[in-house]
Amino acid sequence: LVGSEMCIRDRNMTKPLLKQRRVLRKESEEVPMMIIAPSILSADFGAMRSQVQEAEQAGCRLLHVDVMDGHFVPNITMGPDMVAMLSQAVNVPLDVHLMIEEPERFLSVFYEAGLQRKGSILTVHYEACPHIHRVISQIHRLGDGKVLAGCALNPGTPVSVLRDLLPDLDLVLIMTVDPGFGGQAAIECCLDKVRQVKEMADKLGQTVLIEVDGGIKLDNLERVQDADIVVMGSAVFNERGAGANLQAIQKKLENLAL
């Protein structure tokens, strides 16, 4: 279930022409819902292909890939080879989150590995990029602008740092846990950053996708219901199965939309 045509960046504008969640919606959806992006960090790496395919069959429209280098965050996870496998295993776009030092060195490598599909996202951390405008510009040039450029903020970083960067961004990723490990509880004060980014964007007359990552489960999903994309790892990939969990999440979203 890939959804309809992804927006094409107009070089005379700084924002996508349509919000991604409208573009990736199911054809039957009258009102666009929040997109749930299952994080494969919580999946069984020995059964990765079958688990992401189960998620796709259950309606997943975006897969979140956490790339960690053991330097920027205290963990090592996966690299371009995993992105390449995923792009072949499923037909949904990939949302690659680079939690690494000097991400500008690896942007083209990850793009070539499997981010050519329309709707793909490549996100770097504000804290990892001394020259963040330059890095965002590099992402925009990948595939003639087909990849959406995101900037992630750690819990301790205020949203105010994005004021001058916001016109160049397609997406802001709000970390609601300290990055490095899955299964953490959300840091309560970070949940309000969705509202803060939204207010900043409205004040500046900008359109930007807002994504939330960290500790989001069924019992606190309503706290971030204004986000466009919500990353969910252990809430999707657990012993109950990705299919059953995504169905329960979808039902929750429908109830929130009422």
Side-chain angles (χ1 to χ4, degrees), residues 66-67 72-73 97-104 122-130 132 135-136 139 150-155 157 165 173-175 177-180 213:
D66 288 309
V67 178
F72 181 68
V73 293
H97 176 193
L98 298 182
M99 288 171 272
I100 64 176
E101 292 181 353
E102 300 182 42
E104 61 275 13
L122 189 54
T123 297
V124 297
H125 267 262
Y126 176 87
E127 302 84 1
C129 302
I132 185 67
V135 178
I136 294 300
I139 297 174
C151 180
L153 296 182
N154 280 339
T157 303
L165 184 63
L173 172 54
I174 298 168
M175 293 300 300
V177 298
D178 286 306
D213 182 4

PDB file of all heavy atoms in Angstrom, residues 66-67 72-73 97-104 122-130 132 135-136 139 150-155 157 165 173-175 177-180 213:
ATOM      1  N   ASP A  66      16.913   3.455  11.655  1.00  0.00           N
ATOM      2  CA  ASP A  66      17.806   4.157  12.568  1.00  0.00           C
ATOM      3  C   ASP A  66      19.253   3.740  12.329  1.00  0.00           C
ATOM      4  O   ASP A  66      19.636   2.605  12.616  1.00  0.00           O
ATOM      5  CB  ASP A  66      17.428   3.852  14.018  1.00  0.00           C
ATOM      6  CG  ASP A  66      16.127   4.524  14.429  1.00  0.00           C
ATOM      7  OD1 ASP A  66      16.007   5.741  14.221  1.00  0.00           O
ATOM      8  OD2 ASP A  66      15.230   3.825  14.942  1.00  0.00           O
ATOM      9  N   VAL A  67      20.055   4.656  11.840  1.00  0.00           N
ATOM     10  CA  VAL A  67      21.468   4.393  11.550  1.00  0.00           C
ATOM     11  C   VAL A  67      22.317   5.036  12.643  1.00  0.00           C
ATOM     12  O   VAL A  67      22.262   6.250  12.842  1.00  0.00           O
ATOM     13  CB  VAL A  67      21.862   4.956  10.168  1.00  0.00           C
ATOM     14  CG1 VAL A  67      23.344   4.716   9.899  1.00  0.00           C
ATOM     15  CG2 VAL A  67      21.006   4.319   9.071  1.00  0.00           C
ATOM     16  N   PHE A  72      28.313   9.335  17.630  1.00  0.00           N
ATOM     17  CA  PHE A  72      27.306  10.358  17.924  1.00  0.00           C
ATOM     18  C   PHE A  72      26.328   9.853  18.974  1.00  0.00           C
ATOM     19  O   PHE A  72      25.844  10.615  19.816  1.00  0.00           O
ATOM     20  CB  PHE A  72      26.565  10.754  16.644  1.00  0.00           C
ATOM     21  CG  PHE A  72      25.529  11.819  16.860  1.00  0.00           C
ATOM     22  CD1 PHE A  72      25.901  13.106  17.207  1.00  0.00           C
ATOM     23  CD2 PHE A  72      24.179  11.524  16.740  1.00  0.00           C
ATOM     24  CE1 PHE A  72      24.947  14.091  17.430  1.00  0.00           C
ATOM     25  CE2 PHE A  72      23.217  12.500  16.953  1.00  0.00           C
ATOM     26  CZ  PHE A  72      23.601  13.781  17.296  1.00  0.00           C
ATOM     27  N   VAL A  73      26.026   8.556  18.925  1.00  0.00           N
ATOM     28  CA  VAL A  73      25.187   7.900  19.941  1.00  0.00           C
ATOM     29  C   VAL A  73      25.911   6.640  20.409  1.00  0.00           C
ATOM     30  O   VAL A  73      26.732   6.071  19.682  1.00  0.00           O
ATOM     31  CB  VAL A  73      23.795   7.545  19.374  1.00  0.00           C
ATOM     32  CG1 VAL A  73      23.008   8.801  19.063  1.00  0.00           C
ATOM     33  CG2 VAL A  73      23.911   6.670  18.135  1.00  0.00           C
ATOM     34  N   HIS A  97      17.151   7.780   9.232  1.00  0.00           N
ATOM     35  CA  HIS A  97      17.516   8.720  10.285  1.00  0.00           C
ATOM     36  C   HIS A  97      18.978   8.489  10.640  1.00  0.00           C
ATOM     37  O   HIS A  97      19.328   7.485  11.253  1.00  0.00           O
ATOM     38  CB  HIS A  97      16.591   8.467  11.487  1.00  0.00           C
ATOM     39  CG  HIS A  97      16.885   9.294  12.687  1.00  0.00           C
ATOM     40  ND1 HIS A  97      16.334   9.022  13.937  1.00  0.00           N
ATOM     41  CD2 HIS A  97      17.658  10.403  12.869  1.00  0.00           C
ATOM     42  CE1 HIS A  97      16.768   9.908  14.806  1.00  0.00           C
ATOM     43  NE2 HIS A  97      17.571  10.751  14.194  1.00  0.00           N
ATOM     44  N   LEU A  98      19.830   9.416  10.242  1.00  0.00           N
ATOM     45  CA  LEU A  98      21.269   9.279  10.451  1.00  0.00           C
ATOM     46  C   LEU A  98      21.668   9.856  11.806  1.00  0.00           C
ATOM     47  O   LEU A  98      21.736  11.074  11.986  1.00  0.00           O
ATOM     48  CB  LEU A  98      22.044   9.983   9.336  1.00  0.00           C
ATOM     49  CG  LEU A  98      21.836   9.457   7.916  1.00  0.00           C
ATOM     50  CD1 LEU A  98      22.714  10.238   6.940  1.00  0.00           C
ATOM     51  CD2 LEU A  98      22.129   7.963   7.830  1.00  0.00           C
ATOM     52  N   MET A  99      21.940   8.979  12.763  1.00  0.00           N
ATOM     53  CA  MET A  99      22.459   9.393  14.064  1.00  0.00           C
ATOM     54  C   MET A  99      23.955   9.124  14.061  1.00  0.00           C
ATOM     55  O   MET A  99      24.462   8.230  14.758  1.00  0.00           O
ATOM     56  CB  MET A  99      21.739   8.624  15.176  1.00  0.00           C
ATOM     57  CG  MET A  99      20.309   9.080  15.362  1.00  0.00           C
ATOM     58  SD  MET A  99      19.356   8.030  16.476  1.00  0.00           S
ATOM     59  CE  MET A  99      18.750   6.819  15.290  1.00  0.00           C
ATOM     60  N   ILE A 100      24.652   9.898  13.234  1.00  0.00           N
ATOM     61  CA  ILE A 100      26.075   9.665  13.016  1.00  0.00           C
ATOM     62  C   ILE A 100      26.822  10.990  12.944  1.00  0.00           C
ATOM     63  O   ILE A 100      26.236  12.031  12.632  1.00  0.00           O
ATOM     64  CB  ILE A 100      26.319   8.867  11.712  1.00  0.00           C
ATOM     65  CG1 ILE A 100      25.857   9.671  10.490  1.00  0.00           C
ATOM     66  CG2 ILE A 100      25.615   7.520  11.751  1.00  0.00           C
ATOM     67  CD1 ILE A 100      26.143   8.994   9.160  1.00  0.00           C
ATOM     68  N   GLU A 101      28.119  10.940  13.217  1.00  0.00           N
ATOM     69  CA  GLU A 101      28.969  12.107  13.044  1.00  0.00           C
ATOM     70  C   GLU A 101      29.290  12.294  11.557  1.00  0.00           C
ATOM     71  O   GLU A 101      29.342  11.338  10.796  1.00  0.00           O
ATOM     72  CB  GLU A 101      30.267  11.926  13.831  1.00  0.00           C
ATOM     73  CG  GLU A 101      30.077  11.928  15.340  1.00  0.00           C
ATOM     74  CD  GLU A 101      31.379  11.780  16.093  1.00  0.00           C
ATOM     75  OE1 GLU A 101      32.424  11.532  15.434  1.00  0.00           O
ATOM     76  OE2 GLU A 101      31.368  11.905  17.330  1.00  0.00           O
ATOM     77  N   GLU A 102      29.466  13.524  11.158  1.00  0.00           N
ATOM     78  CA  GLU A 102      29.808  13.880   9.774  1.00  0.00           C
ATOM     79  C   GLU A 102      28.888  13.178   8.765  1.00  0.00           C
ATOM     80  O   GLU A 102      29.350  12.503   7.843  1.00  0.00           O
ATOM     81  CB  GLU A 102      31.265  13.534   9.469  1.00  0.00           C
ATOM     82  CG  GLU A 102      32.256  14.265  10.362  1.00  0.00           C
ATOM     83  CD  GLU A 102      33.697  13.940  10.002  1.00  0.00           C
ATOM     84  OE1 GLU A 102      34.014  13.876   8.795  1.00  0.00           O
ATOM     85  OE2 GLU A 102      34.504  13.746  10.921  1.00  0.00           O
ATOM     86  N   PRO A 103      27.588  13.334   8.899  1.00  0.00           N
ATOM     87  CA  PRO A 103      26.664  12.646   7.987  1.00  0.00           C
ATOM     88  C   PRO A 103      26.824  13.045   6.527  1.00  0.00           C
ATOM     89  O   PRO A 103      26.495  12.259   5.627  1.00  0.00           O
ATOM     90  CB  PRO A 103      25.278  13.048   8.518  1.00  0.00           C
ATOM     91  CG  PRO A 103      25.515  14.345   9.228  1.00  0.00           C
ATOM     92  CD  PRO A 103      26.874  14.205   9.852  1.00  0.00           C
ATOM     93  N   GLU A 104      27.370  14.251   6.295  1.00  0.00           N
ATOM     94  CA  GLU A 104      27.539  14.702   4.915  1.00  0.00           C
ATOM     95  C   GLU A 104      28.439  13.779   4.098  1.00  0.00           C
ATOM     96  O   GLU A 104      28.356  13.748   2.869  1.00  0.00           O
ATOM     97  CB  GLU A 104      28.089  16.135   4.887  1.00  0.00           C
ATOM     98  CG  GLU A 104      29.447  16.332   5.522  1.00  0.00           C
ATOM     99  CD  GLU A 104      29.443  16.557   7.018  1.00  0.00           C
ATOM    100  OE1 GLU A 104      28.388  16.324   7.651  1.00  0.00           O
ATOM    101  OE2 GLU A 104      30.495  16.969   7.555  1.00  0.00           O
ATOM    102  N   LEU A 122      15.543  11.596   4.236  1.00  0.00           N
ATOM    103  CA  LEU A 122      16.890  11.475   4.786  1.00  0.00           C
ATOM    104  C   LEU A 122      17.057  12.578   5.835  1.00  0.00           C
ATOM    105  O   LEU A 122      16.991  13.767   5.512  1.00  0.00           O
ATOM    106  CB  LEU A 122      17.938  11.599   3.688  1.00  0.00           C
ATOM    107  CG  LEU A 122      19.396  11.276   4.059  1.00  0.00           C
ATOM    108  CD1 LEU A 122      19.513   9.888   4.687  1.00  0.00           C
ATOM    109  CD2 LEU A 122      20.284  11.356   2.819  1.00  0.00           C
ATOM    110  N   THR A 123      17.264  12.164   7.084  1.00  0.00           N
ATOM    111  CA  THR A 123      17.308  13.110   8.193  1.00  0.00           C
ATOM    112  C   THR A 123      18.669  13.079   8.883  1.00  0.00           C
ATOM    113  O   THR A 123      19.218  12.000   9.147  1.00  0.00           O
ATOM    114  CB  THR A 123      16.203  12.778   9.220  1.00  0.00           C
ATOM    115  OG1 THR A 123      14.920  12.937   8.599  1.00  0.00           O
ATOM    116  CG2 THR A 123      16.285  13.697  10.430  1.00  0.00           C
ATOM    117  N   VAL A 124      19.196  14.253   9.166  1.00  0.00           N
ATOM    118  CA  VAL A 124      20.453  14.386   9.905  1.00  0.00           C
ATOM    119  C   VAL A 124      20.173  15.143  11.196  1.00  0.00           C
ATOM    120  O   VAL A 124      19.142  15.803  11.334  1.00  0.00           O
ATOM    121  CB  VAL A 124      21.522  15.139   9.080  1.00  0.00           C
ATOM    122  CG1 VAL A 124      21.874  14.366   7.822  1.00  0.00           C
ATOM    123  CG2 VAL A 124      21.037  16.551   8.719  1.00  0.00           C
ATOM    124  N   HIS A 125      21.095  15.063  12.139  1.00  0.00           N
ATOM    125  CA  HIS A 125      20.926  15.751  13.414  1.00  0.00           C
ATOM    126  C   HIS A 125      21.534  17.138  13.384  1.00  0.00           C
ATOM    127  O   HIS A 125      22.657  17.326  12.912  1.00  0.00           O
ATOM    128  CB  HIS A 125      21.551  14.934  14.551  1.00  0.00           C
ATOM    129  CG  HIS A 125      20.580  14.026  15.212  1.00  0.00           C
ATOM    130  ND1 HIS A 125      19.936  14.353  16.382  1.00  0.00           N
ATOM    131  CD2 HIS A 125      20.102  12.818  14.845  1.00  0.00           C
ATOM    132  CE1 HIS A 125      19.116  13.368  16.721  1.00  0.00           C
ATOM    133  NE2 HIS A 125      19.198  12.431  15.807  1.00  0.00           N
ATOM    134  N   TYR A 126      20.785  18.084  13.923  1.00  0.00           N
ATOM    135  CA  TYR A 126      21.286  19.449  14.073  1.00  0.00           C
ATOM    136  C   TYR A 126      22.603  19.446  14.848  1.00  0.00           C
ATOM    137  O   TYR A 126      23.551  20.143  14.496  1.00  0.00           O
ATOM    138  CB  TYR A 126      20.237  20.291  14.803  1.00  0.00           C
ATOM    139  CG  TYR A 126      20.672  21.704  15.105  1.00  0.00           C
ATOM    140  CD1 TYR A 126      20.489  22.709  14.169  1.00  0.00           C
ATOM    141  CD2 TYR A 126      21.266  22.018  16.326  1.00  0.00           C
ATOM    142  CE1 TYR A 126      20.894  24.011  14.432  1.00  0.00           C
ATOM    143  CE2 TYR A 126      21.679  23.311  16.599  1.00  0.00           C
ATOM    144  CZ  TYR A 126      21.496  24.306  15.653  1.00  0.00           C
ATOM    145  OH  TYR A 126      21.910  25.588  15.920  1.00  0.00           O
ATOM    146  N   GLU A 127      22.674  18.620  15.881  1.00  0.00           N
ATOM    147  CA  GLU A 127      23.821  18.594  16.772  1.00  0.00           C
ATOM    148  C   GLU A 127      25.069  17.993  16.120  1.00  0.00           C
ATOM    149  O   GLU A 127      26.178  18.195  16.609  1.00  0.00           O
ATOM    150  CB  GLU A 127      23.488  17.795  18.045  1.00  0.00           C
ATOM    151  CG  GLU A 127      22.299  18.319  18.834  1.00  0.00           C
ATOM    152  CD  GLU A 127      20.961  17.820  18.319  1.00  0.00           C
ATOM    153  OE1 GLU A 127      20.946  17.028  17.337  1.00  0.00           O
ATOM    154  OE2 GLU A 127      19.926  18.216  18.886  1.00  0.00           O
ATOM    155  N   ALA A 128      24.888  17.260  15.023  1.00  0.00           N
ATOM    156  CA  ALA A 128      26.010  16.598  14.354  1.00  0.00           C
ATOM    157  C   ALA A 128      26.557  17.410  13.187  1.00  0.00           C
ATOM    158  O   ALA A 128      27.537  16.997  12.560  1.00  0.00           O
ATOM    159  CB  ALA A 128      25.588  15.217  13.862  1.00  0.00           C
ATOM    160  N   CYS A 129      25.931  18.545  12.903  1.00  0.00           N
ATOM    161  CA  CYS A 129      26.275  19.296  11.684  1.00  0.00           C
ATOM    162  C   CYS A 129      26.607  20.759  11.989  1.00  0.00           C
ATOM    163  O   CYS A 129      25.697  21.594  12.099  1.00  0.00           O
ATOM    164  CB  CYS A 129      25.119  19.237  10.682  1.00  0.00           C
ATOM    165  SG  CYS A 129      24.620  17.588  10.189  1.00  0.00           S
ATOM    166  N   PRO A 130      27.888  21.097  12.108  1.00  0.00           N
ATOM    167  CA  PRO A 130      28.258  22.499  12.314  1.00  0.00           C
ATOM    168  C   PRO A 130      27.796  23.397  11.172  1.00  0.00           C
ATOM    169  O   PRO A 130      27.522  24.580  11.373  1.00  0.00           O
ATOM    170  CB  PRO A 130      29.786  22.457  12.398  1.00  0.00           C
ATOM    171  CG  PRO A 130      30.117  21.051  12.771  1.00  0.00           C
ATOM    172  CD  PRO A 130      29.066  20.212  12.122  1.00  0.00           C
ATOM    173  N   ILE A 132      24.951  23.076   9.067  1.00  0.00           N
ATOM    174  CA  ILE A 132      23.704  22.372   8.804  1.00  0.00           C
ATOM    175  C   ILE A 132      23.028  22.815   7.507  1.00  0.00           C
ATOM    176  O   ILE A 132      22.471  21.997   6.780  1.00  0.00           O
ATOM    177  CB  ILE A 132      22.735  22.524  10.006  1.00  0.00           C
ATOM    178  CG1 ILE A 132      21.475  21.688   9.805  1.00  0.00           C
ATOM    179  CG2 ILE A 132      22.412  23.993  10.280  1.00  0.00           C
ATOM    180  CD1 ILE A 132      21.693  20.208   9.814  1.00  0.00           C
ATOM    181  N   VAL A 135      24.566  20.925   4.632  1.00  0.00           N
ATOM    182  CA  VAL A 135      24.185  19.510   4.605  1.00  0.00           C
ATOM    183  C   VAL A 135      22.764  19.343   4.066  1.00  0.00           C
ATOM    184  O   VAL A 135      22.493  18.456   3.253  1.00  0.00           O
ATOM    185  CB  VAL A 135      24.306  18.887   6.007  1.00  0.00           C
ATOM    186  CG1 VAL A 135      23.870  17.426   5.986  1.00  0.00           C
ATOM    187  CG2 VAL A 135      25.748  18.995   6.503  1.00  0.00           C
ATOM    188  N   ILE A 136      21.851  20.197   4.510  1.00  0.00           N
ATOM    189  CA  ILE A 136      20.472  20.132   4.012  1.00  0.00           C
ATOM    190  C   ILE A 136      20.434  20.381   2.509  1.00  0.00           C
ATOM    191  O   ILE A 136      19.707  19.724   1.759  1.00  0.00           O
ATOM    192  CB  ILE A 136      19.579  21.147   4.761  1.00  0.00           C
ATOM    193  CG1 ILE A 136      19.452  20.761   6.239  1.00  0.00           C
ATOM    194  CG2 ILE A 136      18.206  21.239   4.117  1.00  0.00           C
ATOM    195  CD1 ILE A 136      18.850  19.394   6.488  1.00  0.00           C
ATOM    196  N   ILE A 139      21.372  17.255   0.660  1.00  0.00           N
ATOM    197  CA  ILE A 139      20.263  16.289   0.586  1.00  0.00           C
ATOM    198  C   ILE A 139      19.306  16.685  -0.526  1.00  0.00           C
ATOM    199  O   ILE A 139      18.848  15.836  -1.300  1.00  0.00           O
ATOM    200  CB  ILE A 139      19.523  16.200   1.933  1.00  0.00           C
ATOM    201  CG1 ILE A 139      20.456  15.671   3.020  1.00  0.00           C
ATOM    202  CG2 ILE A 139      18.295  15.285   1.814  1.00  0.00           C
ATOM    203  CD1 ILE A 139      19.846  15.675   4.417  1.00  0.00           C
ATOM    204  N   GLY A 150      15.362  16.195   6.201  1.00  0.00           N
ATOM    205  CA  GLY A 150      14.899  16.388   7.564  1.00  0.00           C
ATOM    206  C   GLY A 150      16.025  16.774   8.500  1.00  0.00           C
ATOM    207  O   GLY A 150      17.186  16.457   8.267  1.00  0.00           O
ATOM    208  N   CYS A 151      15.649  17.456   9.581  1.00  0.00           N
ATOM    209  CA  CYS A 151      16.606  17.811  10.633  1.00  0.00           C
ATOM    210  C   CYS A 151      16.035  17.332  11.960  1.00  0.00           C
ATOM    211  O   CYS A 151      14.892  17.654  12.307  1.00  0.00           O
ATOM    212  CB  CYS A 151      16.831  19.320  10.667  1.00  0.00           C
ATOM    213  SG  CYS A 151      17.999  19.857  11.939  1.00  0.00           S
ATOM    214  N   ALA A 152      16.826  16.557  12.695  1.00  0.00           N
ATOM    215  CA  ALA A 152      16.408  16.011  13.980  1.00  0.00           C
ATOM    216  C   ALA A 152      16.974  16.833  15.123  1.00  0.00           C
ATOM    217  O   ALA A 152      18.084  17.370  15.034  1.00  0.00           O
ATOM    218  CB  ALA A 152      16.859  14.560  14.116  1.00  0.00           C
ATOM    219  N   LEU A 153      16.195  16.915  16.203  1.00  0.00           N
ATOM    220  CA  LEU A 153      16.627  17.627  17.405  1.00  0.00           C
ATOM    221  C   LEU A 153      16.641  16.671  18.586  1.00  0.00           C
ATOM    222  O   LEU A 153      15.644  15.993  18.858  1.00  0.00           O
ATOM    223  CB  LEU A 153      15.669  18.778  17.730  1.00  0.00           C
ATOM    224  CG  LEU A 153      15.555  19.935  16.740  1.00  0.00           C
ATOM    225  CD1 LEU A 153      14.585  20.972  17.282  1.00  0.00           C
ATOM    226  CD2 LEU A 153      16.914  20.563  16.463  1.00  0.00           C
ATOM    227  N   ASN A 154      17.750  16.623  19.305  1.00  0.00           N
ATOM    228  CA  ASN A 154      17.818  15.862  20.540  1.00  0.00           C
ATOM    229  C   ASN A 154      16.922  16.503  21.599  1.00  0.00           C
ATOM    230  O   ASN A 154      16.589  17.694  21.507  1.00  0.00           O
ATOM    231  CB  ASN A 154      19.257  15.812  21.048  1.00  0.00           C
ATOM    232  CG  ASN A 154      20.097  14.773  20.327  1.00  0.00           C
ATOM    233  OD1 ASN A 154      19.573  13.832  19.733  1.00  0.00           O
ATOM    234  ND2 ASN A 154      21.408  14.939  20.372  1.00  0.00           N
ATOM    235  N   PRO A 155      16.552  15.743  22.637  1.00  0.00           N
ATOM    236  CA  PRO A 155      15.666  16.290  23.681  1.00  0.00           C
ATOM    237  C   PRO A 155      16.176  17.573  24.324  1.00  0.00           C
ATOM    238  O   PRO A 155      15.381  18.448  24.676  1.00  0.00           O
ATOM    239  CB  PRO A 155      15.594  15.144  24.698  1.00  0.00           C
ATOM    240  CG  PRO A 155      15.771  13.915  23.887  1.00  0.00           C
ATOM    241  CD  PRO A 155      16.775  14.298  22.829  1.00  0.00           C
ATOM    242  N   THR A 157      17.857  19.967  22.937  1.00  0.00           N
ATOM    243  CA  THR A 157      18.015  21.077  21.988  1.00  0.00           C
ATOM    244  C   THR A 157      16.685  21.789  21.799  1.00  0.00           C
ATOM    245  O   THR A 157      15.695  21.157  21.416  1.00  0.00           O
ATOM    246  CB  THR A 157      18.520  20.567  20.629  1.00  0.00           C
ATOM    247  OG1 THR A 157      19.748  19.859  20.811  1.00  0.00           O
ATOM    248  CG2 THR A 157      18.745  21.718  19.661  1.00  0.00           C
ATOM    249  N   LEU A 165      16.594  27.978   9.845  1.00  0.00           N
ATOM    250  CA  LEU A 165      16.745  26.799   8.991  1.00  0.00           C
ATOM    251  C   LEU A 165      15.420  26.321   8.426  1.00  0.00           C
ATOM    252  O   LEU A 165      15.378  25.673   7.376  1.00  0.00           O
ATOM    253  CB  LEU A 165      17.404  25.676   9.795  1.00  0.00           C
ATOM    254  CG  LEU A 165      17.736  24.369   9.078  1.00  0.00           C
ATOM    255  CD1 LEU A 165      18.758  24.605   7.966  1.00  0.00           C
ATOM    256  CD2 LEU A 165      18.276  23.342  10.073  1.00  0.00           C
ATOM    257  N   LEU A 173      12.340  16.386  12.794  1.00  0.00           N
ATOM    258  CA  LEU A 173      12.192  15.179  13.596  1.00  0.00           C
ATOM    259  C   LEU A 173      12.471  15.520  15.061  1.00  0.00           C
ATOM    260  O   LEU A 173      13.583  15.907  15.423  1.00  0.00           O
ATOM    261  CB  LEU A 173      13.155  14.089  13.122  1.00  0.00           C
ATOM    262  CG  LEU A 173      13.255  12.817  13.969  1.00  0.00           C
ATOM    263  CD1 LEU A 173      11.887  12.187  14.182  1.00  0.00           C
ATOM    264  CD2 LEU A 173      14.204  11.812  13.320  1.00  0.00           C
ATOM    265  N   ILE A 174      11.451  15.397  15.883  1.00  0.00           N
ATOM    266  CA  ILE A 174      11.567  15.691  17.307  1.00  0.00           C
ATOM    267  C   ILE A 174      11.859  14.396  18.053  1.00  0.00           C
ATOM    268  O   ILE A 174      11.042  13.468  18.065  1.00  0.00           O
ATOM    269  CB  ILE A 174      10.268  16.326  17.838  1.00  0.00           C
ATOM    270  CG1 ILE A 174       9.995  17.648  17.126  1.00  0.00           C
ATOM    271  CG2 ILE A 174      10.341  16.523  19.352  1.00  0.00           C
ATOM    272  CD1 ILE A 174       8.614  18.197  17.367  1.00  0.00           C
ATOM    273  N   MET A 175      13.032  14.333  18.657  1.00  0.00           N
ATOM    274  CA  MET A 175      13.382  13.170  19.471  1.00  0.00           C
ATOM    275  C   MET A 175      12.760  13.338  20.852  1.00  0.00           C
ATOM    276  O   MET A 175      13.010  14.322  21.543  1.00  0.00           O
ATOM    277  CB  MET A 175      14.893  13.031  19.591  1.00  0.00           C
ATOM    278  CG  MET A 175      15.614  12.698  18.293  1.00  0.00           C
ATOM    279  SD  MET A 175      15.072  11.123  17.575  1.00  0.00           S
ATOM    280  CE  MET A 175      15.482   9.969  18.892  1.00  0.00           C
ATOM    281  N   VAL A 177      13.143  10.871  23.100  1.00  0.00           N
ATOM    282  CA  VAL A 177      14.065  10.130  23.966  1.00  0.00           C
ATOM    283  C   VAL A 177      15.476  10.524  23.543  1.00  0.00           C
ATOM    284  O   VAL A 177      15.681  11.042  22.444  1.00  0.00           O
ATOM    285  CB  VAL A 177      13.905   8.590  23.844  1.00  0.00           C
ATOM    286  CG1 VAL A 177      12.520   8.139  24.268  1.00  0.00           C
ATOM    287  CG2 VAL A 177      14.218   8.119  22.420  1.00  0.00           C
ATOM    288  N   ASP A 178      16.442  10.281  24.411  1.00  0.00           N
ATOM    289  CA  ASP A 178      17.827  10.471  23.998  1.00  0.00           C
ATOM    290  C   ASP A 178      18.181   9.352  23.022  1.00  0.00           C
ATOM    291  O   ASP A 178      18.007   8.173  23.344  1.00  0.00           O
ATOM    292  CB  ASP A 178      18.754  10.431  25.215  1.00  0.00           C
ATOM    293  CG  ASP A 178      18.658  11.697  26.042  1.00  0.00           C
ATOM    294  OD1 ASP A 178      18.826  12.785  25.465  1.00  0.00           O
ATOM    295  OD2 ASP A 178      18.403  11.598  27.255  1.00  0.00           O
ATOM    296  N   PRO A 179      18.655   9.685  21.833  1.00  0.00           N
ATOM    297  CA  PRO A 179      18.874   8.669  20.805  1.00  0.00           C
ATOM    298  C   PRO A 179      19.967   7.678  21.173  1.00  0.00           C
ATOM    299  O   PRO A 179      20.904   8.010  21.899  1.00  0.00           O
ATOM    300  CB  PRO A 179      19.269   9.489  19.575  1.00  0.00           C
ATOM    301  CG  PRO A 179      19.837  10.762  20.125  1.00  0.00           C
ATOM    302  CD  PRO A 179      19.054  11.032  21.376  1.00  0.00           C
ATOM    303  N   GLY A 180      19.812   6.459  20.677  1.00  0.00           N
ATOM    304  CA  GLY A 180      20.826   5.436  20.895  1.00  0.00           C
ATOM    305  C   GLY A 180      20.258   4.063  21.145  1.00  0.00           C
ATOM    306  O   GLY A 180      20.874   3.057  20.781  1.00  0.00           O
ATOM    307  N   ASP A 213       9.776  10.818  17.384  1.00  0.00           N
ATOM    308  CA  ASP A 213      10.456   9.528  17.526  1.00  0.00           C
ATOM    309  C   ASP A 213      10.898   9.317  18.965  1.00  0.00           C
ATOM    310  O   ASP A 213      11.695  10.091  19.490  1.00  0.00           O
ATOM    311  CB  ASP A 213      11.677   9.492  16.585  1.00  0.00           C
ATOM    312  CG  ASP A 213      12.411   8.149  16.627  1.00  0.00           C
ATOM    313  OD1 ASP A 213      11.957   7.220  17.317  1.00  0.00           O
ATOM    314  OD2 ASP A 213      13.449   8.041  15.947  1.00  0.00           O
TER     315      ASP A 213
END
